């Protein structure tokens, strides 16, 4: 049985697509760094080191958008793209896990 087909990505400029990709990469790394999650310090350290590079790429993507005259972030469209790319699950790893009564 084939998995359900994902909804199509909304139409994005190349710069918007780059922004979404770099943002999700940073979110993934922040999830690995999150001190409220179990895991080793080495994994978190490596993610923190990589985050510096990914943050620079994210800054570059936003700079390109601004230089091209794309001065507005279209939240509804970008949120749809993030949802299609599993952004809600990925971003949830950055937040505090539910309190288990401890």
């Amino acid at each position: 049985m084939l998995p359900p087909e994902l909804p199509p990505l909304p139409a994005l400029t190349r710069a918007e697509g780059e922004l979404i990709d770099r943002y999700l990469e940073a979110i993934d790394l922040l999830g690995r760094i999150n001190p409220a999650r179990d895991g080793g310090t080495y994994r978190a350290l490596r993610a923190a080191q990589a985050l510096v590079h990914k943050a620079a790429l994210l800054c570059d993507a936003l700079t390109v958008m601004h230089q091209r005259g794309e001065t507005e972030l279209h939240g509804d469209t970008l949120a749809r793209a993030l949802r299609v790319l599993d952004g809600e699950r990925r971003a949830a790893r950055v937040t505090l896990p539910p309190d288990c009564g401890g």
Side-chain angles (χ1 to χ4, degrees):
M1 176 182 244
L2 294 174
E5 190 171 322
L6 293 173
L9 275 172
L12 302 173
T13 66
R14 183 180 305 252
E16 286 174 326
E18 186 76 13
L19 169 64
I20 293 292
D21 289 343
R22 301 299 77 86
Y23 176 77
L24 287 172
E25 288 171 352
I27 288 290
D28 289 340
L29 291 169
L30 284 169
R32 289 174 46 201
I33 296 166
N34 187 345
R37 304 257 175 209
D38 291 332
T41 56
Y42 185 72
R43 183 194 71 200
L45 172 63
R46 296 291 302 204
Q49 291 168 337
L51 182 60
V52 174
H53 175 67
K54 296 300 181 182
L57 294 175
L58 180 57
C59 183
D60 291 347
L62 285 163
T63 299
V64 167
M65 286 181 72
H66 185 73
Q67 289 173 341
R68 290 183 181 172
E70 296 179 52
T71 57
E72 297 293 323
L73 294 176
H74 303 282
D76 290 342
T77 302
L78 296 173
R80 281 198 321 269
L82 288 168
R83 284 187 183 94
V84 169
L85 296 171
D86 203 20
E88 288 177 308
R89 180 191 61 80
R90 294 161 79 173
R93 296 192 65 215
V94 175
T95 62
L96 289 172
D99 187 7
C100 297

